[in-house]
Every structure is written in structure tokens, then in C-alpha cells.
Amino acid sequence: MAQIVAKFGGTSVSDLQRMRDIATTVKSEVEAGNQIVVVVSAMAGITNDLVALAREANPLHDAREYDSIVASGEQVSSGLLSLCLQEAGVSARSWQGWQIPINTDGVHGKARILGIDTEKIIKRLSENQVCVIAGFQGLSPENRITTLGRGGSDTTAVALAAALKADRCDIYTDVDGVYTSDPRIVTSARKLEKITYEEMLEMASLGAKVLQTRSVELAMSHKVPLQVLSSFTGMMGSVLPGTLVVAEEEIVEQEIVSGVTYSRDEAKITLLQVPDRPGVAAAIFGPLSDANVNVDMIVQNISENNNATDLTFTVARGELDKALEVLESCKSELGFLASVPDSSVAKISVVGVGMRSHAGVAKRMFAALAEHNINILVISTSEIKISVLIAEEFTELALRALHSAYGLDKT
Ligand code: ASP
Ligand code: MG
């Protein structure tokens, strides 16, 4: 007997027929003697509609009411899927976050899970009942409904799997696994059989939108065996294998680079003639961080005459205006000449734990980009990742070039 947490995303529960298909899959797992916890997202598009309604009602909405509105999508899908399971002859009931409860902090809109009381769920599972849990939602210390941030059902599923010490956490989505690059752009991209938590974490935060970043962090720290697979292929009990997200030790033949990702959600700001004196970086990035603007890549030139230098950094595109406003407000105090924004940039990254033990990975990246005449604007690296900022128009070209350069193309 295995205990499995299976999460179904919005496109997997987009209509009743898809829910009936899921019920068939779940039924076969139950008949095989397994205990099943199902976590559902809202039906495709519903959360977006709810967010839009909340914004329309009041652009400066009370975040507690926002959460009670947007959490309702999962209430509907958990109830509907329970009905479909019952219809298929499977004992099932829905659970809202507050009924379990899934306790979170009070940061509405992006709450963190503090703990899950698994007692009632364990009891129902032992009575052979399928527990259909509304993802994305929890309960605050003030007894209000919270949500975990967009894509948060992944985190609900992983947190439950960790709390229950489940044998597996399967994330069913509309892609059949994690790819070496975006298959819509790089047609030679391959599905990875296995990927490490760390690589998945980098890829998730770099824009590969398969899993919510926080769910991967949680899986890594609790060593939850994760699998990403499609609910569209091979349903009816014969699901095709997806991608396993595992610890590094579990991958025998590690590639040097596992994936090439991109993010267009980037903007670059260059501050011209920043006075070159101690404390100036703190004076620039302090106010930005106080305004909740996340700064990602940073380059600073060394000043020749020792008194002024240019400083370039990147922020999320949606935060460009806010960042410029903050900078403008402290311009005279900082004493820079001008700020030059550029929002037509993209970040391209190569990711792989194999980088730790192999030399020449960066060289290959720079050579491949040079060969295609792509200019690098900013570079940043971590132990298992190299990122470059380039003009957005070269995104596709760069992805394809790097995918080939690292030998990732399917043969
Ligand atoms: N329904 C929520 C969203 O669209 C949560 C999720 O899908 O994971 O963000
Ligand atoms: Mg999702």
C-alpha cells in the first residue's frame, strides 16, 4: 500500500469530463489498495477572473477580502471532483483549508504554511476515503482565509505530502514533465527523466513555470519525492512517466547542464555617474528594498578617475516604474547624473549541478552567443547557474544556440 498525494492543476480540472477522467485514474489507484489525497486548483481561468473582479470592485482592496474571493475557485473544484468520485463509486469528500486546518501566517495573498493538522485526514484515509483538498488556501491566526500566492496549490500538495510523510507527491499538469528548454521555442528540447531539487528550484525561479518555486523549496527541505506528469496523456490508469524531482545522489549520470531557461520579465536600469564612495550601494539598494522592489543582477564599473561610476541592475519589468520613482526621489541625495531604463531585455540562464565539478561551462555559453552575434549586457552566476542579460529580440535565437552548444538537442 502506498500513500500518494496527487495534485491536479487548473487545466486538468477545466471541465466535468476532465474531472471524470481524473476520478477514473484515482479509482484505479484506490482499487490497487493505495491511500489517495487529491489536491485541486481552481478550474482553468477561474482564479484570474476572481482576481479581476476583486480589482474592479476596489483597486486598493482589503487583502483579507481578496483572499476570501480568490480562494473560492478551489472550493468549487474540490466539491465537483468529490461528486465525480462519488459518481464513480469511490468514497470521497472535499476539504477546505480551514476545515483541516492548514494553518498559515497572516500575510494575505502570499501566506506561508506554518503547520498542517493531519489527524482528520489520516483517519479518513484509513477508512478508505479519498480526501479531496482545496489547494492554494489556508487559515490565518486571526481565523481568516488566506491564499498562498499564485500557483500555490503546488505548495499545498507538497506540504501535505511532507506532513503525511506520503510515499509520493504527483503533480499532474498540462505538460508531461520538465524539459531541457521551452519546447514551444526549442523544438529539439527533451523531457528530463530526473532533475535535482536544486536545478528545479533554479529553473522555477528563472521562469520555467512548471511548479511554484516555494513548493520546490519545501520538497527539497523535506525530501518529498516529487513527480511532474501530464494528466492528458495515458489517463485511464496508464499514466506516462513524467519527470522525477529528486536529490542529487539519486542521479547517477549527471549532465553538466540540465536546462536552458529564459525570462522576459526583466528590465534594466543604468545609473550614470554614481559617486564612487563607500555606502553608495547601500544608499541605492536600501530604498529599493524598502519599497519591495527586488533587484536581481547587478554590475558596477570600476571608475577610472576614482570619483564616479556607472551602475547597472535589473528588476522585474512590472516593478520598473516603481523603481524609477524611488530612484528619482533620492536622486539629489545620491548625486547620480541620470537613470536610463530599458525594458526590452531578457535573461537567459543555463542550469546544472554538474557545473560545480566541470570547468569551461561559462566559456561555452559566451562562445555560442558570440557566434550568433548576441551581445551580453550583464552576467551573473551562482554555483549551478549562469545567467546573461541580452536584448529581448534575441531570446529565441539564444535559447536554441545554447541548447545545441551544451549537447541537449534530442537526437
Ligand atoms: N488557482 C490558483 C492560481 O491560479 C492556485 C493554483 O492554481 O495553484 O494561482
Ligand atoms: Mg500551476
Side-chain angles (χ1 to χ4, degrees):
M1 183 205 81
Q3 197 180 61
I4 303 163
V5 175
K7 181 255 170 179
F8 293 90
T11 47
S12 307
V13 293
S14 56
D15 58 39
L16 285 176
Q17 191 47 51
R18 307 241 0 111
M19 293 197 196
R20 290 188 191 110
D21 291 344
I22 292 171
T24 310
T25 308
V26 171
K27 183 177 182 169
S28 62
E29 293 284 1
V30 171
E31 283 172 349
N34 297 320
Q35 292 187 345
I36 310 294
V37 173
V38 177
V39 174
V40 283
S41 292
M43 296 165 81
I46 295 292
T47 311
N48 286 344
D49 294 348
L50 293 167
V51 170
L53 271 175
R55 291 215 175 113
E56 197 184 327
N58 183 349
L60 298 171
H61 46 245
D62 176 345
R64 293 163 296 192
E65 300 308 341
Y66 167 91
D67 274 352
S68 95
I69 296 160
V70 301
S72 66
E74 275 74 7
Q75 178 159 342
V76 174
S77 55
S78 59
L80 284 173
L81 183 59
S82 298
L83 288 182
C84 291
L85 282 161
Q86 291 170 5
E87 187 63 20
V90 179
S91 165
R93 74 154 270 192
S94 65
W95 293 87
Q96 307 311 305
W98 60 268
Q99 292 172 313
I100 297 175
I102 294 177
N103 293 306
T104 71
D105 62 20
V107 184
H108 285 275
K110 49 175 180 205
R112 274 181 177 271
I113 296 177
L114 301 176
I116 300 179
D117 185 347
T118 51
E119 197 186 315
K120 295 190 228 83
I121 299 300
I122 289 172
K123 179 164 179 292
R124 297 303 179 105
L125 289 173
S126 71
E127 294 163 5
N128 288 321
Q129 189 170 70
V130 173
C131 300
V132 184
I133 294 171
F136 184 47
Q137 47 168 272
L139 185 68
S140 79
E142 290 77 35
N143 214 29
R144 303 286 308 250
I145 290 171
T146 52
T147 63
L148 309 178
R150 297 304 308 270
S153 302
D154 295 337
T155 299
T156 306
V158 173
L160 273 159
L164 290 164
K165 299 194 173 56
D167 296 287
R168 252 180 29 227
C169 182
D170 289 342
I171 308 278
Y172 287 89
T173 174
D174 50 2
V175 295
D176 58 357
V178 180
Y179 277 72
T180 49
S181 194
D182 185 339
R184 288 166 303 184
I185 297 175
V186 184
T187 46
S188 56
R190 284 181 291 119
K191 185 169 80 180
L192 292 160
E193 202 184 313
K194 287 183 178 174
I195 185 170
T196 67
Y197 292 119
E198 272 178 290
E199 289 167 331
M200 192 63 237
L201 200 54
E202 288 284 7
M203 307 240 279
S205 56
L206 291 169
K209 293 190 174 55
V210 190
L211 290 171
Q212 197 198 30
T213 307
R214 204 182 290 168
S215 71
V216 186
E217 281 168 6
L218 207 59
M220 181 157 93
S221 62
H222 293 269
K223 294 209 169 7
V224 175
L226 256 190
Q227 182 174 207
V228 176
L229 63 181
S230 169
S231 59
F232 289 80
T233 50
M235 281 300 274
M236 317 304 284
S238 65
V239 174
L240 290 177
T243 299
L244 291 168
V245 189
V246 296
E248 206 170 325
E249 311 83 75
E250 285 174 56
I251 301 186
V252 186
E253 271 200 63
Q254 186 62 58
E255 310 244 18
I256 299 173
V257 164
S258 298
V260 185
T261 65
Y262 70 102
S263 159
R264 297 182 200 267
D265 182 25
E266 308 288 329
K268 166 171 83 78
I269 299 174
T270 299
L271 297 183
L272 298 175
Q273 307 221 6
V274 181
D276 195 9
R277 55 173 160 77
V280 77
I284 293 168
F285 296 118
L288 286 171
S289 120
D290 293 344
N292 269 321
V293 175
N294 249 334
V295 172
D296 179 21
M297 308 167 98
I298 303 175
V299 271
Q300 186 189 342
N301 297 329
I302 294 175
S303 62
E304 242 167 61
N305 49 11
N306 247 338
N307 55 33
T309 178
D310 294 347
L311 182 76
T312 298
F313 56 90
T314 63
V315 297
R317 213 172 273 184
E319 295 186 338
L320 178 61
D321 290 343
K322 189 156 86 172
L324 291 170
E325 215 173 280
V326 171
L327 292 165
E328 210 46 46
S329 71
C330 39
K331 186 175 173 193
S332 54
E333 189 190 329
L334 291 169
F336 62 87
L337 185 69
S339 53
V340 185
D342 179 0
S343 57
S344 51
V345 291
K347 182 169 73 171
I348 312 288
S349 308
V350 297
V351 175
V353 291
M355 265 179 223
R356 281 200 283 250
S357 48
H358 285 84
V361 182
K363 188 187 82 185
R364 204 187 299 185
M365 181 178 204
F366 305 149
L369 294 171
E371 206 175 292
H372 289 83
N373 259 321
I374 300 171
N375 192 31
I376 299 173
L377 307 171
V378 184
I379 302 169
S380 75
T381 63
S382 80
E383 219 189 354
I384 67 159
K385 169 199 83 178
I386 307 167
S387 300
V388 294
L389 197 71
I390 62 170
E392 187 182 7
E393 58 186 304
F394 298 123
T395 306
E396 286 88 355
L397 183 62
L399 282 178
R400 293 186 194 120
L402 293 170
H403 200 265
S404 308
Y406 289 106
L408 294 172
D409 291 348
K410 72 178 160 220
T411 44

